[in-house]
Amino acid sequence: GAGVSQSPSNKVTEKGKDVELRCDPISGHTALYWYRQSLGQGLEFLIYFQGNSAPDKSGLPSDRFSAERTGGSVSTLTIQRTQQEDSAVYLCASSLATGEKLFFGSGTQLSVL
Amino acid sequence: AQSVTQLDSQVPVFEEAPVELRCNYSSSVSVYLFWYVQYPNQGLQLLLKYLSGSTLVKGINGFEAEFNKSQTSFHLRKPSVHISDTAEYFCAVSDGTGGFKTIFGAGTRLFVKA
């Protein structure tokens, strides 16, 4: 595709529900990231996929968060039993290779009521 | 593991004045360094990057940054800012200790006043 595509753009959910956020990276990009941006906060690293290597999950804040990347392309970030503190913009980014610039999606604004 | 510290959360400056946004990183190995910008209601885009070679890097919109290995810094500068430079600026680092994943600082909000 022309850019990194994220869906949905907005998601409102109730506390305790599960949500799935989708990221479609640029074709051919081997690296894929998930970040979280909260109001007034920087970009918090969540998880990193690089090619066929095991993902770096060191940024996931709790075991309620998980992500997978199927076929080296599309990725899904799942948040189980959502809490109000999970409310944030979830950004996906991809890059062609190590050290290359990241291309960001427009993000998913998650609101947990 | 690598980390990034942006020393100023907000920087107010008058139009046409010079500006420096500070960034320090922590890493024990060779690094790749980046500055990204997020304009109001827009996505992040790359301003400039340092991979190797000359320590002075020039980017888009008249910005430049200097890599200082001894001080582990990568400060962003512009000699004369415009109102349109009002945005949030993020410093980022990528190194081998983290499998070359990219870690961002907390961001600096640059506010340019007329």
Side-chain angles (χ1 to χ4, degrees):
Chain A
V4 178
S5 178
Q6 290 188 246
S7 61
S9 55
N10 281 282
K11 177 70 176 179
V12 180
T13 190
E14 294 179 350
K15 177 182 173 181
K17 300 283 190 182
D18 297 352
V19 296
E20 282 190 355
L21 312 180
R22 176 188 168 103
C23 172
D24 206 335
I26 293 173
S27 178
H29 280 197
T30 60
L32 186 148
Y33 295 79
W34 284 98
Y35 295 93
R36 178 167 69 176
Q37 187 174 24
S38 305
L39 192 62
Q41 303 296 314
L43 273 74
E44 178 187 3
F45 166 78
L46 297 178
I47 189 168
Y48 166 54
F49 297 88
Q50 174 58 55
N52 295 320
S53 302
D56 182 332
K57 306 178 182 179
S58 60
L60 294 178
S62 78
D63 58 8
R64 295 186 296 105
F65 288 73
S66 63
E68 62 177 22
R69 188 179 184 190
T70 53
S73 182
V74 172
S75 177
T76 302
L77 177 69
T78 302
I79 308 173
Q80 296 179 309
R81 305 181 303 281
T82 53
Q83 303 295 311
Q84 288 184 331
E85 60 263 30
D86 299 334
S87 296
V89 175
Y90 288 82
L91 292 169
C92 177
S94 70
S95 70
L96 187 58
T98 299
E100 293 296 323
K101 74 175 185 179
L102 300 184
F103 292 81
F104 282 85
S106 300
T108 294
Q109 173 74 63
L110 175 65
S111 300
V112 182
L113 305 179
Chain B
Q2 74 267 45
S3 65
V4 181
T5 302
Q6 291 185 243
L7 298 162
D8 308 294
S9 59
Q10 294 188 71
V11 174
V13 63
F14 285 104
E15 193 173 21
E16 297 183 8
V19 70
E20 180 179 79
L21 306 184
R22 297 179 293 170
C23 173
N24 286 88
Y25 66 91
S26 171
S27 174
S28 59
V29 298
S30 297
V31 295
Y32 301 145
L33 295 158
F34 308 82
W35 277 98
Y36 285 81
V37 60
Q38 187 174 33
Y39 296 105
N41 301 313
Q42 293 187 30
L44 282 99
Q45 57 184 284
L46 182 72
L47 260 184
L48 49 79
K49 66 179 180 182
Y50 170 80
L51 301 184
S52 65
S54 173
T55 57
L56 184 63
V57 180
K58 295 189 182 297
I60 61 172
N61 300 338
F63 283 93
E64 63 180 30
E66 185 156 21
F67 170 57
N68 188 319
K69 187 174 182 178
S70 63
Q71 297 186 5
T72 59
S73 67
F74 191 56
H75 301 334
L76 181 71
R77 297 190 291 259
K78 186 169 182 178
S80 175
V81 294
H82 304 286
I83 297 287
S84 59
D85 292 323
T86 294
E88 186 130 25
Y89 292 80
F90 294 94
C91 182
V93 64
S94 172
D95 75 18
T97 64
F100 290 103
K101 66 176 180 278
T102 302
I103 301 297
F104 286 79
T108 297
R109 183 166 296 278
L110 176 64
F111 179 59
V112 182
K113 302 177 285 186

